[in-house]
Amino acid sequence: MSKIIKEVQESLINLKRVKPLVHCITNYITANDCANAILAVGGSPAMADAIEEVEQMATQAQALVLNLGTIANELVDAMIKAGKAANKAGVPVVFDPVGVGATNYRKESTFRLLKEVKFSVIRGNMAEIKVLCGMESNSKGVDSVEDVKEDAAKDIARELAKKLNTVVAITGVIDYISDGERVITIRNGNEMLTRVTGTGCMTTALIGAYLGGGSSPLHCAVAGVATMGMVGEIAFDNLKENQGSGSFRVSLIDGMYNLKEADFQNVGKINE
């Protein structure tokens, strides 16, 4: 068994032992799915975004998840307040810069957050991560239409992780996760994941749940991304005739609930 497989298995053990409170400031489109994903793997979600309470909630939690999906000025202010409080309390923070390249407002808000808050993990698709690198990117709304060769993708993940002193997780057909030194690739997943809204947001929430268990940010990022890819494969294989994206969505949560340590070895396509 490889070193990284053992590390992600330990992350799942820690998550289920701690049962962390995961504070999410996320978008209204996927909040319910993110909460259910956290519950399914063994965490406890708190979906609090009122600016009057986010600091207190963030310091009570074991992890904080910030998602840029449906933003407004007050929500960005709330994210910064929560992020600063979490940083001061030693609570790990994961950031999802949804659609950062789609509008100037999203880009300005993202770089404001990067300036004000220290993130343990940043997860995005290739188009989003390229924007954070200051590179030209191709997107359609909040979706990436990038096609980057594997070696170049690894370099992008590694260099941004070094630049921001964080773990960077790039999700797509192949996933790339780096802490600036190590680079992990994951080849799990199914095309049906693109037919259900919020699977990226749920992946970020899963990373937050693993972070709440106390494992290292790199291990938690790999565990969260691999979890979504693996349950995506399992959910698709379990579809019956005439079942589609609605049944698939429910089956994703079932897969998270039934996730076992052995799945990372038996189903996971995780390599370093």
Side-chain angles (χ1 to χ4, degrees):
M1 185 184 300
S2 70
K3 177 183 178 184
I4 189 60
I5 294 293
K6 292 179 181 177
E7 289 166 342
V8 295
Q9 287 179 333
E10 187 67 26
S11 296
L12 180 60
I13 292 169
N14 289 340
L15 164 57
K16 292 189 177 296
R17 173 179 54 81
V18 174
K19 300 179 176 63
L21 175 64
V22 184
H23 178 197
C24 300
I25 303 178
T26 187
N27 68 80
Y28 59 76
I29 297 167
T30 64
N32 182 265
D33 287 324
C34 290
N36 278 320
I38 292 168
L39 283 167
V41 293
S44 177
M47 317 303 282
D49 59 14
I51 198 166
E52 294 83 3
E53 68 173 348
V54 292
E55 291 173 299
Q56 186 176 4
M57 185 65 74
T59 58
Q60 294 175 14
Q62 280 73 59
L64 172 64
V65 177
L66 303 181
N67 180 300
L68 207 67
T70 50
I71 57 170
N73 286 341
E74 186 172 281
L75 198 61
V76 174
D77 290 342
M79 289 182 182
I80 290 173
K81 272 200 164 190
K84 286 184 172 181
N87 287 166
K88 187 175 181 180
V91 175
V93 188
V94 56
F95 180 44
D96 191 334
V98 179
V100 58
T103 67
N104 290 335
Y105 177 54
R106 286 178 181 273
K107 188 173 181 178
E108 290 163 4
S109 298
T110 292
F111 281 94
R112 183 180 167 204
L113 280 156
L114 291 174
K115 181 179 179 181
E116 299 280 355
V117 180
K118 173 66 176 72
F119 295 106
S120 297
V121 179
I122 298 172
R123 188 218 66 85
N125 61 39
M126 181 57 75
E128 292 159 350
I129 296 302
K130 286 182 74 174
V131 172
L132 302 192
C133 293
M135 303 169 68
E136 292 293 324
S137 68
N138 295 313
S139 61
K140 183 180 180 181
V142 300
D143 296 322
S144 177
V145 291
E146 289 283 354
D147 183 16
V148 177
K149 292 183 178 180
E150 187 166 338
D151 286 345
K154 289 180 179 179
D155 287 342
I156 289 169
R158 185 187 295 111
E159 292 309 311
L160 185 61
K162 285 181 182 178
K163 179 181 178 181
L164 299 180
N165 189 26
T166 189
V167 170
V168 170
I170 308 174
T171 52
V173 176
I174 303 173
D175 308 307
Y176 305 91
I177 298 97
S178 180
D179 60 359
E181 299 295 333
R182 300 170 70 183
V183 181
I184 314 299
T185 60
I186 303 171
R187 286 175 165 80
N188 287 106
N190 185 277
E191 192 272 339
M192 184 69 91
L193 286 166
T194 66
R195 305 298 297 274
V196 175
T197 190
T199 53
C201 299
M202 283 188 274
T203 302
T204 305
L206 289 170
I207 294 171
Y210 281 106
L211 280 171
S215 299
S216 80
L218 178 66
H219 305 162
C220 292
V222 174
V225 173
T227 295
M228 180 57 75
M230 293 188 303
V231 300
E233 291 181 5
I234 294 167
F236 182 78
D237 289 342
N238 287 341
L239 287 179
K240 298 179 175 62
E241 188 177 359
N242 297 323
Q243 288 185 324
S245 57
S247 300
F248 179 78
R249 174 174 170 269
V250 173
S251 191
L252 285 176
I253 301 297
D254 290 341
M256 296 172 201
Y257 180 83
N258 291 309
L259 186 69
K260 303 292 189 296
E261 297 160 44
D263 290 333
F264 290 107
Q265 173 71 14
N266 299 332
V267 183
K269 300 167 187 170
I270 307 167
N271 292 284
E272 184 169 4

